[in-house]
């Protein structure tokens, strides 16, 4: 079985964004603008948090998939590529999370 990745999901989102809104949920989200995409991402994030404090592992996994999808749609709505986010993550791996957070406060 081949492994599905976030770049695979980005490719699907890109393809659906190029399609007509009448057949694509992704296109409909993007047509409503970045503010709507951000609101939808926030809703999914809250649902993920609720699932995390619950006792249903499968529900948490499903909500996590939703939040990742909606984050990628939100990024697309603002013209931010996944590789740009990955670059920032890679830069942060050279220090601990506490060091990185302290460095941001100095900036």
């Amino acid at each position: 079985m081949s492994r599905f990745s976030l770049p695979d999901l980005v490719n699907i989102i890109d393809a659906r964004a190029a399609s007509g809104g009448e057949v694509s949920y992704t296109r409909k989200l993007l047509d409503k603008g970045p503010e709507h995409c951000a609101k939808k991402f926030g809703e999914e994030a809250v649902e993920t948090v609720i699932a995390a404090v619950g006792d249903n592992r499968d529900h948490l996994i499903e909500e996590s998939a939703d939040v990742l999808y909606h984050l990628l749609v939100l990024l697309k709505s603002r013209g931010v590529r996944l590789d740009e986010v990955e670059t920032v993550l890679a830069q942060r791996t050279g220090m601990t999370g506490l060091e990185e957070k302290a460095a941001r406060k100095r900036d």
Side-chain angles (χ1 to χ4, degrees), residues 46-64:
V46 169
E47 290 174 9
T48 304
V49 169
I50 292 168
V53 299
D55 193 25
N56 185 330
R57 185 175 187 276
D58 290 338
H59 188 221
L60 175 58
I61 292 168
E62 290 168 8
E63 293 299 339
S64 296

Side-chain angles (χ1 to χ4, degrees), residues 95 98-107:
M95 61 183 85
L98 294 174
E99 291 168 333
E100 188 275 330
K101 191 171 182 176
R104 279 191 278 155
K105 288 182 180 177
R106 290 191 299 263
D107 292 342

